[in-house]
Amino acid sequence: MTIEEKSRKLEQLFEELYNRVREFKKKTYDQLFLQLYHTYQDLLQELSADIDKMEEADRMAGIEEIAAVIPAYAKQKMGTLPKRSREVAEVDFNMTMAVFVIPLLTYEKDPYCGKIADRMVELWNEAKVTTLVLKKSSYDAITDGFKQRLCYITTAVCGSSGKADDCYELETLRAYRDEYLMKSESGRELVEEYYEVAPMIVMAIDMHKDASSIYRQIYQDYLMPCVHLAETGENEACKKRYTDMVYHLQHRYLHS
């Protein structure tokens, strides 16, 4: 492929995945990702093969050239958007990269595609495509996170402040979940809804440079009040407080 062909195909890939990023859900991610992988598998393999054919001294330049395409295209696209649309677009741009583009590049563990992914993340952040921070991600890490039945937001909040996985707050809310919410149909439905959206909320918060400050605020405004309500047996009030937290975070950081 010529660089023009590579660029056009990579730009199309980003555009198509950007238009599907709102489909990123726990129940559908696995099937959707594998469908997308099979759609773009030939392109990814061609990129790797093209670099493999280069002289060793030229490969890093080839990787750089490919890795720069999507950040440059996304930066230009962001610049064309009205200011009032950019806050929402920033989340969707970064989520497109984090849940689709980078995991697609790293899925086969191809060494050249892996290097493209590494450099693409660096260039995305260096170019300040968005005000958010893009981190390297993988299909395995995302699906493993979905499979683990954890108190995602509580775990992230406590982890941010250095608390252990068996800290008092986590143990209290896990007990509340298992001993109260899971005992009723409405409670189980609430837990399932939470597992659907919570990992995406955490991923979005982690893209913020002030993520630790955000988690501290969540701890003060929601987590500790929930713990206190659970301790005192105010179970319905605890459920409302936690539901309010998820709703607020979903609309603040996912804009959905």
Side-chain angles (χ1 to χ4, degrees), residues 125-139:
N125 291 324
E126 289 171 11
K128 294 182 170 59
V129 177
T130 71
T131 60
L132 305 174
V133 178
L134 178 64
K135 299 178 182 179
K136 190 173 180 183
S137 52
S138 71
Y139 165 79

Side-chain angles (χ1 to χ4, degrees), residues 13 17 29 33 44 67 70-71 94-108 113-114 116-122 124 134-139 142:
L13 178 145
L17 297 179
Y29 179 67
F33 179 88
L44 299 173
I70 289 179
N94 267 50
M95 291 295 279
T96 298
M97 297 297 291
V99 305
F100 291 139
V101 177
I102 301 304
L104 282 171
L105 283 165
T106 58
Y107 181 67
E108 279 195 350
C113 285
I116 292 170
D118 288 340
R119 187 60 181 142
M120 193 177 288
V121 170
E122 293 173 350
W124 182 278
L134 178 64
K135 299 178 182 179
K136 190 173 180 183
S137 52
S138 71
Y139 165 79
I142 293 170

Side-chain angles (χ1 to χ4, degrees), residues 215-250:
Y215 284 131
R216 282 197 298 271
Q217 197 67 46
I218 295 170
Y219 184 85
Q220 294 170 7
D221 293 348
Y222 293 104
L223 187 56
M224 283 313 298
C226 282
V227 169
H228 175 71
L229 291 168
E231 287 174 327
T232 55
E234 297 177 70
N235 294 323
E236 284 300 305
C238 181
K239 181 167 72 173
K240 183 179 186 306
R241 189 72 173 183
Y242 211 83
T243 302
D244 288 347
M245 177 190 73
V246 174
Y247 178 85
H248 166 73
L249 296 178
Q250 182 177 3

Side-chain angles (χ1 to χ4, degrees), residues 74-237:
K75 177 83 171 179
Q76 182 182 34
K77 182 179 176 71
M78 182 65 72
T80 67
L81 297 175
K83 286 186 178 180
R84 64 182 180 275
S85 303
R86 289 181 188 172
E87 186 178 5
V88 174
E90 285 194 337
V91 175
D92 287 347
F93 272 39
N94 267 50
M95 291 295 279
T96 298
M97 297 297 291
V99 305
F100 291 139
V101 177
I102 301 304
L104 282 171
L105 283 165
T106 58
Y107 181 67
E108 279 195 350
K109 298 179 173 55
D110 176 90
Y112 296 128
C113 285
K115 289 178 181 178
I116 292 170
D118 288 340
R119 187 60 181 142
M120 193 177 288
V121 170
E122 293 173 350
L123 290 170
W124 182 278
N125 291 324
E126 289 171 11
K128 294 182 170 59
V129 177
T130 71
T131 60
L132 305 174
V133 178
L134 178 64
K135 299 178 182 179
K136 190 173 180 183
S137 52
S138 71
Y139 165 79
D140 289 340
I142 293 170
T143 53
D144 286 349
F146 277 140
K147 290 172 185 174
Q148 295 175 25
R149 299 182 69 82
L150 301 174
C151 295
Y152 288 97
I153 298 173
T154 308
T155 299
V157 170
C158 293
S160 177
S161 60
K163 294 180 182 291
D165 188 61
D166 60 351
C167 67
Y168 180 75
E169 294 90 337
L170 272 166
E171 292 294 283
T172 299
L173 291 178
R174 283 171 181 156
Y176 168 75
R177 175 196 63 193
D178 295 340
E179 296 170 14
Y180 181 74
L181 290 179
M182 296 301 290
K183 296 292 178 66
S184 70
E185 183 176 350
S186 62
R188 289 192 294 272
E189 290 175 355
L190 183 64
V191 170
E192 285 302 315
E193 289 174 11
Y194 168 75
Y195 286 142
E196 185 73 25
V197 71
M200 291 178 278
I201 292 173
V202 170
M203 185 179 290
I205 292 175
D206 284 343
M207 292 177 182
H208 287 259
K209 295 175 182 177
D210 61 342
S212 59
S213 297
I214 294 171
Y215 284 131
R216 282 197 298 271
Q217 197 67 46
I218 295 170
Y219 184 85
Q220 294 170 7
D221 293 348
Y222 293 104
L223 187 56
M224 283 313 298
C226 282
V227 169
H228 175 71
L229 291 168
E231 287 174 327
T232 55
E234 297 177 70
N235 294 323
E236 284 300 305

